[in-house]
Amino acid sequence: MGHRKYELYSMDWDLKEELRDCLVAAAPYGGPIALLRNPWRKEKAASVRPVLEIYSASGMPLASLLWKSGPVVSLGWSAEEELLCVQEDGVVLVYGLHGDFRRHFSMGNEVLQNRVLDARIFHTEFGSGVAILTGAHRFTLSANVGDLKLRRMPEVPGLQSAPSCWTTLCQDRVAHILLAVGPDLYLLDHAACSSVTPPGLAPGVSSFLQMAVSFTYRHLALFTDTGYIWMGTTSLKEKLCEFNCNIRAPPKQMVWCSRPRSKERAVVVAWERRLMVVGDAPESIQFVLDEDSYLVPELDGVRIFSRSTHEFLHEVPVASEEIFKIASMAPGALLLEAQKEYEKESQKADEYLREIQELGQLTQAVQQCIEAAGHEHRPDMQKSLLRAASFGKCFLDRFPPDSFVRMCQDLRVLNAVRDYHIGIPLTYSQYKQLTIQVLLDRLVLRRLYPLAIQICEYLRLPEVQGVSRILAHWACYKVQQKDVSDEDVARAINQKLGDTPGVSYSDIAARAYGCGRTELAIKLLEYEPRSGEQVPLLLKMKRSKLALSKAIESGDTDLVFTVLLHLKNELNRGDFFMTLRNQPMALSLYRQFCKYQELETLKDLYNQDDNHQELGSFHIRASYAAEERIEGRVAALQTAADAFYKAKNEFAAKATEDQMRLLRLQRRLEDELGGRFLDLSLHDTVTTLILGGHNKRAEQLARDFRIPDKRLWWLKLTALADLEDWEELEKFSKSKKSPIGYLPFVEICMKQHNKYEAKKYTSRVGPEQKVKALLLVGDVAQAADVAIEHRNEAELSLVLSHCTGATDGATADKIQRARAQAQKK
Amino acid sequence: MAFPHRPDAPELPDFSMLKRLARDQLIYLLEQLPGKKDLFIEADLMSPLDRIANVSILKQHEVDKLYKVESKPAVSSSEQLCFLVRPRIKNMRYIANLVNADKLAGRTRKYKVIFSPQKFYACEMVLEEEGIYGDVSCDEWAFSLLPLDVDLLSMELPEFFRDYFLEGDQRWINTVAQALHLLSTLYGPFPNCYGIGRCAKMSYELWRKLEDEEDGETKGRRPEIGHIFLLDRGSVDFGPEVTSSDKSLKVLLNAEDKVFNEIRNEHFSNVFGFLSQKARNLQAQYDRRRGMDIKQMKNFVSQELKGLKQEHRLLSLHIGACESIMKKKTKQDFQELIKTEHALLEGFNIRESTSYIEEHIDRQVSPIESLRLMCLLSITENGLIPKDYRSLKTQYLQSYGPEHLLTFSNLRRAGLLTEQAPGDTLTAVESKVSKLVTDKAAGKITDAFSSLAKRSNFRAISKKLNLIPRVDGEYDLKVPRDMAYVFSGAYVPLSCRIIEQVLERRSWQGLDEVVRLLNCSELAFTDMTREDKASSESLRLILVVFLGGCTFSEISALRFLGREKGYRFIFLTTAVTNSARLMEAMSEVKA
């Protein structure tokens, strides 16, 4: 079985306590280590307040704080690298990487009453969960502390004492609990408790002392009181292997040590002074532990740290094994040798190279070296492997360079973060699993902004995902520095961020506001180019009027409307109106809304502005849209007229008063004459009267409303012609001299196809229109005479154009003659 | 296209993609409500919808029955109701009534509201106030660009004009910005931008903001369209003494539509007679034209009227109208109207024209026509003299009803029908002078007159830009020589002239005086910051954006300009409009 262990760091942390006296939590992916001296276990030191200390994986102190809250049962890191401290009373306190208190939450009343006996922090694809075993031997869990939903698990029948061991599993996206009571195993899901039996478990087990679930929740290991280890799938459907280590003492820790996609199964078991790697091989690998050690399961191995060292134990990757196996003839191994010989300027280089080439394995060799380089921790090893790869590449025609380039880049990043100052000992596999984005987040979390930015620039990440994001985080951190003045912070941030794309000043401002720095927030918002983004925060900060102007600036009417409604609730009506008054855009928007939804408010708005003109219009509209009764309509009109007078719009006022008179009159006409008069225009009212034969009334009305003569004549003319009351029409035409001339009479008669009547009027048509009139009644000959008499060229042409066919032949000739004569002169 | 372009004219981008996008999104939205459902459609959306997805497509996606959203409630038995509406408050009320009626009856159904082109917070507010916010699900159908023709995109938002220019409501600006953003994502980037007017500027800035937020998307792409030109229909503030340019134009344009047919009748009456004969023959076929799109109609007309060449394309759009006008009135009436319009345009015989308008009103010829003439008078004369202003309004109210008091208030606010400020009474003198000048056509006095005439912005602009070309002899319509051909050589649309001038100069430089007269000194902008990757072909492809609507005359004039100069214009308008529609938008009607 190929496992190897190498040192990550020699720890120079100055531990005051022994690890065994502390609650310890180390985050996966090379994460930080938290230590809390556990005074509550020993009665004697209860008076001394313990210290919570946080270190990087390399032992650099990150935070140290005096623990002032209640007794802690368990510590654990969330996926976001937040430290969760589970107190005995079920309250979970959340701290940041730098010991900054974030928030707290409770695991519920039941937990509070029965106290916490034991707790586990676990990770699922949704986030980080907390599982609690209470004093009443019941389990409560929350699968995601970011979205806290407490689930109380079903009771385990007959459970009288704490289980000998337990763990959380995650299957089909649901969190379960597996617990061992004596020789029995129970699986708890949120609905039921079921008894389970691992297949192929050796007989004679009377209790389980330890259990371990693999990093990916796929495998389970059970350690029994007989010193026997069962390894199988988490579903408990399949046994993978077993091992008998013949040690009956309960191990301190047991964790899986496997590599993704590897067929090898291995579990690392730790006792006080002994470390054992067991798998399906008959022999185990044993290490002696010189000091108190702690195991941290990782995706592809196990980290082991103690007072003085921090090591990594893992299964040797295939590529590395092939290359470094003693006397290996693998292509990678040969290539590495070739390169070494080449450097020594030995001709052996050529021999090795030929050997690989003869087998046609050079491509494979290069790939092997590149891959193996990724798994090496020491830069000199990485270099020599990469050098070998590069050397081999020279002899290949078409080897795509990207895998080599990418590996160089990745290793450069990895070496940078592995540096003990940074202290993130990521392996290549972990790094790929974590992704560069998350790694950058973690650097940001450690406030390592310059390094993060360097990495972004080195990898040429797009600004929005890379540099901008980091700068924004930096700014959010910066605003929390309370000892720096608002001006300085704002300036510093703006200097650094400028208008980098993708930086949201409003987010930074929101953070500033979160720290109670409203003034700073407002200053920062000034840098936000998208005014729409400023609005929500301004509203939150109760700067509604500023929010309004920003919303207007944004051009987004919906945003303006949102602010308006906010203002409406926040201010009293008077102030609200005053605010609107200074913002015409918002005012028109609100008016539009009121027009449909709140007519009364609209009126108030006009009133407030002393906008009498609009107020008048408002009441006019009301007079025919809202009011039904005639009295109401007249009253509305009266109000309108008053408003128009105030607006110094006498015209409108008078027109409105006329309309009031007309309405009343129309009402009377309806009462007295029947028929429909209401809502007719004045013109139509008079017409209706004439058509109804009420000439007297019509004339009275015309006089009352001072209808101009011209209009009255047109009106009567049209009405009488419609009635075909030719007698009355003639009488009318003779009543006095027509103000509209007599051509309209001719026209209207012709329109009714009454040539006889039309002819009556042609003689009275004035000389200018005589030709037109004569042509209308079809008297072409006479028209020609008149035109000739007038000596008017235009009239002559007009008549000529009316000369059709033989009948008018003579007339046409006459005109032509007249024309010729005129030209002679 | 039925008429030839210069061989080097660039190809138009393919806008059918916009239709496909809209259709796919609509189908996606419909499928969000699986199962059979009844679809309630707002009347305004029916014809645009029809161009995007016909009934059979709707049926394929389990739309059972179609209803029109109108004042009376519809009886639908479906378990799922889907509403496709514009974001208007009255629609929300309609939906609320329906849902609340169901609630009273103890009935539970699924309701989905699809807002097109976007939803507004105010609408959601109303749904909330009506207590049904939780009962309906809301979605947006971001369908804002309807290709009406190969070179014409319409947003189909006729209310844009009233909302923005009358009510000062800016909510559609965002929609415009979104539409521009979509266009630039699909066909952009646009290297050169010009604009004039407040609304244009706001739309432009909002659009740029959108582009910046999503930066990088269009970067490095070769521009397909070289220039974008934003024009707003009220490029000036609404004030009592300021006449807004482009709106004035619109009235003029349409006044001129008829001038096109009638003016210089010595020359044109034959054509007109022929046309009206032709039109009558075609009437039967024209009745079918509702079902046709513009392109079909265009082909149709151009084939039928081959001998009359391209100007008849425009004429064909008006032929129906002319027909009906011919039927309604005697030919004489119509000629009078045209004469008056022309007189107003050139600024002579003001008194006579005013009497003509008065008679027009007295005889109740047509409320919209009367209003249009009044506006034309006001715009060309920079406001009515107080006496006329009062008397015409009084006459109008007597003829057409008192509610038009509000119409006048609207028109005044929009600057379309105003009273001359006391200092401006000089116009009376002017008009006398002008009468003299025009009648005797004395060139020397013209200059003196023009300096006097500066009081009227319209006259000054018209002079400055030579909008009313002085033509010696007859204007041969068969061989158009400038954009004025759309109005028989009588008038060049201002918007088109401005575009021509700016394109020539590649900026507003040298047009300061015009810009000042338009009251847009701070609102004219040029942005040529884009990297100069534009090919010479793309530089001749120009997107013209009309905020507030444009007329077919403007489109035709620019198409002509394009043919002359080897440009291709693409038109994006909030709606295709004309003077009657404009007047209707301003009119107050009894509910």
Side-chain angles (χ1 to χ4, degrees), chain A residues 541-808:
Chain A
M541 298 194 296
K542 305 235 179 299
R543 304 290 162 116
S544 318
K545 286 181 192 174
L546 191 57
L548 184 60
S549 18
K550 291 293 177 191
I552 290 168
E553 221 171 86
S554 80
D556 182 344
T557 47
D558 269 9
L559 204 57
V560 177
F561 208 81
T562 319
V563 181
L564 279 181
L565 292 182
H566 222 270
L567 279 170
K568 192 180 161 197
N569 295 331
E570 193 179 281
L571 303 174
N572 66 40
R573 214 168 161 80
D575 290 346
F576 177 54
F577 284 178
M578 278 309 285
T579 313
L580 281 182
R581 198 174 180 172
N582 300 325
Q583 299 285 6
M585 186 263 195
L587 180 61
S588 355
L589 197 68
Y590 193 62
R591 266 195 205 136
Q592 284 283 79
F593 175 72
C594 290
K595 217 170 250 179
Y596 295 99
Q597 246 353 55
E598 290 179 18
L599 270 179
E600 280 307 299
T601 313
L602 186 63
K603 197 171 74 185
D604 294 348
L605 272 171
Y606 291 140
N607 257 324
Q608 143 101 19
D609 283 357
D610 289 329
N611 191 341
H612 298 294
Q613 174 63 34
E614 286 300 325
L615 213 50
S617 299
F618 175 85
H619 288 292
I620 294 266
R621 201 171 282 115
S623 81
Y624 61 79
E627 295 287 344
E628 304 232 324
R629 293 168 312 115
I630 196 93
E631 294 80 14
R633 296 182 57 176
V634 171
L637 287 173
Q638 182 64 59
T639 323
D642 292 346
F644 284 137
Y645 275 121
K646 280 191 199 149
K648 301 213 164 33
N649 187 344
E650 292 214 6
F651 173 81
K654 288 256 153 48
T656 309
E657 281 170 352
D658 281 349
Q659 174 58 14
M660 285 159 61
R661 269 203 298 151
L662 184 63
L663 262 185
R664 288 205 192 96
L665 200 105
Q666 286 172 333
R667 175 62 178 275
R668 218 167 55 229
L669 290 173
E670 282 193 2
D671 286 349
E672 290 170 19
L673 308 174
R676 186 106 184 99
F677 283 96
L678 275 175
D679 282 330
L680 292 181
S681 71
L682 179 61
H683 188 108
D684 293 343
T685 312
V686 179
T687 305
T688 313
L689 281 173
I690 294 173
L691 290 175
H694 309 287
N695 282 326
K696 281 263 163 56
R697 289 251 191 183
E699 267 160 37
Q700 182 63 40
L701 198 63
R703 267 197 302 284
D704 286 353
F705 284 89
R706 286 198 218 104
I707 293 183
D709 252 7
K710 275 190 182 176
R711 169 189 290 280
L712 190 62
W713 276 69
W714 277 114
L715 187 161
K716 267 193 136 171
L717 176 68
T718 319
L720 291 174
D722 276 354
L723 282 174
E724 305 200 19
D725 189 346
W726 307 117
E727 204 179 310
E728 188 65 33
L729 185 66
E730 198 173 348
K731 237 198 283 171
F732 172 56
S733 77
K734 286 173 181 159
S735 62
K736 65 178 196 184
K737 189 176 180 293
S738 162
I740 54 170
Y742 292 91
L743 183 63
F745 282 82
V746 180
E747 283 172 346
I748 203 112
C749 294
M750 286 311 292
K751 215 172 160 190
Q752 303 284 350
H753 309 292
N754 193 333
K755 200 186 258 188
Y756 173 78
E757 285 296 329
K759 279 186 173 168
K760 283 184 185 171
Y761 301 103
T762 47
S763 59
R764 295 163 74 185
V765 174
E768 280 173 30
Q769 294 173 314
K770 197 130 205 171
V771 174
K772 267 191 201 168
L774 288 167
L775 287 176
L776 263 175
V777 298
D779 195 341
V780 183
Q782 211 187 329
D785 289 345
V786 176
I788 291 168
E789 193 185 314
H790 287 173
R791 290 181 189 159
N792 184 320
E793 179 54 36
E795 284 182 5
L796 284 172
S797 322
L798 186 65
V799 177
L800 207 53
S801 73
H802 276 78
C803 291
T804 49
T807 46
D808 297 326

Side-chain angles (χ1 to χ4, degrees), chain B residues 495-552:
Chain B
S495 58
C496 304
R497 181 68 92 199
I498 288 180
I499 290 168
E500 180 193 26
Q501 293 293 314
V502 173
L503 283 178
E504 228 161 67
R505 286 156 221 252
R506 291 274 161 94
S507 81
W508 292 97
Q509 235 168 19
L511 295 171
D512 315 345
E513 178 69 9
V514 174
V515 169
R516 193 185 60 77
L517 286 167
L518 293 170
N519 264 26
C520 286
S521 304
E522 281 150 33
L523 300 169
F525 56 91
T526 312
D527 181 1
M528 319 236 298
T529 55
R530 314 293 118 189
E531 64 268 56
D532 211 35
K533 272 197 211 156
S535 63
S536 64
E537 181 154 313
S538 74
L539 281 176
R540 279 180 287 115
L541 203 52
I542 299 144
L543 174 66
V544 184
V545 183
F546 291 96
L547 302 165
C550 75
T551 63
F552 274 117

Side-chain angles (χ1 to χ4, degrees), chain A residues 596-597 681 684 711 772, chain B residues 93 121 206 332 364 395 399:
Chain A
Y596 295 99
Q597 246 353 55
S681 71
D684 293 343
R711 169 189 290 280
K772 267 191 201 168
Chain B
R93 288 268 190 67
Y121 184 56
L206 215 55
Q332 253 174 351
Q364 292 185 309
Q395 297 303 316
S399 270

